[in-house]
């Protein structure tokens, strides 16, 4: 069975600095998708970024980039130039049909 | 920009009552999902739905749960006899041809 691990329950970052949120995964399927979602305190799940297992390049979406290291089975999210509005829970997920989510990392951006 | 909508945003019910949670997926999407998130815990898969039938379900999705797409736009989750442990945020998600699942804002269910 696939498994998603987020080892950082909480992270702090200074406003305008970059932060990396860790995610490792385990699967025997050669084809899979990796996702990051943001969940602010209001509760909704906001899609941030997607990486396909066969994609050669790391995905980027504005200030978000995904550091995909397939051999190490890691898919870390990098947020550049952090803003106060980035404070939220961040979930890594893998899709082999349905989404399986990690436990999440609570990011707090300090002014 | 098209989005998934869910109603109601909050629901309080008595244990043993039936609840129906409603979702309107993005209009040209083909795959539909329900997830739940118990307070402070991770998001868990309940069921996926494609071509008017369940394609996959988790062990959480027992006989108390059912899903329907009654009219080609709404996608509903019914809990027949709610239990205290059904209290959670319930998310609907839909997916089109590409990989990404887009989530609705959720329904916060409280069972008393």
């Amino acid at each position: 069975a696939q498994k998603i691990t987020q080892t950082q329950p909480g992270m702090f970052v200074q406003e305008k600095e970059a932060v990396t949120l860790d995610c490792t995964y385990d699967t025997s399927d050669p084809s899979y998708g990796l996702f990051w979602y943001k969940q602010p305190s209001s509760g909704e799940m906001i899609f941030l970024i997607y990486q396909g297992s066969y994609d050669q390049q790391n995905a980027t979406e504005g200030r978000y980039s995904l550091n995909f290291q397939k051999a190490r089975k890691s898919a870390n999210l990098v947020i550049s130039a952090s803003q106060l509005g980035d404070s939220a829970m961040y979930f890594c997920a893998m899709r082999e049909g349905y989404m399986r989510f990690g436990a999440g990392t609570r990011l707090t951006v300090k002014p | 920009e098209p989005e998934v909508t869910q109603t109601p945003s909050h629901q309080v019910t008595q244990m043993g009552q039936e609840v129906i949670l409603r979702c309107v997926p993005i209009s040209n999407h083909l795959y539909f999902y329900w997830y739940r998130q118990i307070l402070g815990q991770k998001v868990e898969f309940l069921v996926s739905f494609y071509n008017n039938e369940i394609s996959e379900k988790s062990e959480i999705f027992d006989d108390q749960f059912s899903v329907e797409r009654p009219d080609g736009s709404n996608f509903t989750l019914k809990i027949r006899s709610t239990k205290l442990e059904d209290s959670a945020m319930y998310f609907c998600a839909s997916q089109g041809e590409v990989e990404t699942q887009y989530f609705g804002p959720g329904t916060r269910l409280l069972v008393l």
Side-chain angles (χ1 to χ4, degrees):
Chain A
Q2 52 169 295
K3 183 178 171 183
I4 302 287
T5 303
Q6 294 181 254
T7 57
Q8 306 154 314
M11 288 283 285
F12 290 87
V13 65
Q14 205 66 40
E15 193 179 7
K16 299 180 187 173
E17 299 200 339
V19 63
T20 298
L21 307 184
D22 295 342
C23 173
T24 59
Y25 60 92
D26 186 24
T27 181
S28 55
D29 196 321
S31 176
Y32 50 90
L34 296 159
F35 301 79
W36 279 90
Y37 287 84
K38 173 184 179 182
Q39 187 177 43
S41 56
S42 51
E44 70 265 36
M45 295 286 284
I46 303 167
F47 165 71
L48 295 179
I49 196 166
Y50 161 75
Q51 179 86 43
S53 59
Y54 291 118
D55 292 343
Q56 296 296 315
Q57 293 194 322
N58 287 343
T60 60
E61 288 284 349
R63 294 186 298 110
Y64 305 109
S65 60
L66 202 152
N67 184 0
F68 180 46
Q69 298 187 46
K70 193 170 183 177
R72 297 180 62 184
K73 294 189 174 179
S74 75
N76 299 339
L77 176 70
V78 180
I79 306 174
S80 63
S82 298
Q83 302 171 356
L84 295 177
D86 294 336
S87 294
M89 282 290 287
Y90 288 81
F91 291 96
C92 178
M94 180 164 65
R95 180 175 175 271
E96 283 181 348
Y98 66 89
M99 291 282 198
R100 185 182 289 266
F101 286 82
T105 295
R106 183 172 298 280
L107 177 67
T108 303
V109 180
K110 299 191 287 187
Chain B
E1 186 174 319
E3 58 184 20
V4 178
T5 59
Q6 289 185 244
T7 54
S9 57
H10 295 77
Q11 179 144 7
V12 181
T13 190
Q14 294 290 325
M15 190 170 59
Q17 294 295 303
E18 174 184 286
V19 295
I20 298 176
L21 310 183
R22 292 184 167 81
C23 168
V24 179
I26 295 172
S27 63
N28 60 346
H29 282 188
L30 303 172
Y31 304 88
F32 312 110
Y33 305 83
W34 282 101
Y35 294 83
R36 79 172 186 191
Q37 184 182 29
I38 294 171
L39 187 64
Q41 298 187 22
K42 65 170 72 173
V43 178
E44 301 173 288
F45 167 73
L46 292 177
V47 65
S48 58
F49 194 85
Y50 171 71
N51 202 25
N52 285 321
E53 59 183 27
I54 291 173
S55 48
E56 195 169 5
K57 60 184 180 179
S58 72
E59 57 191 26
I60 301 169
F61 194 87
D62 61 21
D63 292 343
Q64 294 298 313
F65 292 89
S66 62
V67 289
E68 224 181 13
R69 194 151 191 254
D71 56 12
S73 60
N74 289 286
F75 179 50
T76 62
L77 174 70
K78 182 192 289 187
I79 309 175
R80 288 190 184 82
S81 178
T82 50
K83 303 187 281 276
L84 295 176
E85 54 264 37
D86 293 329
S87 294
M89 179 79 101
Y90 287 80
F91 291 104
C92 171
S94 74
Q95 179 191 340
E97 292 294 331
V98 296
E99 289 283 326
T100 304
Q101 293 179 21
Y102 292 92
F103 282 68
T107 293
R108 197 176 294 277
L109 176 66
L110 178 61
V111 182
L112 301 177

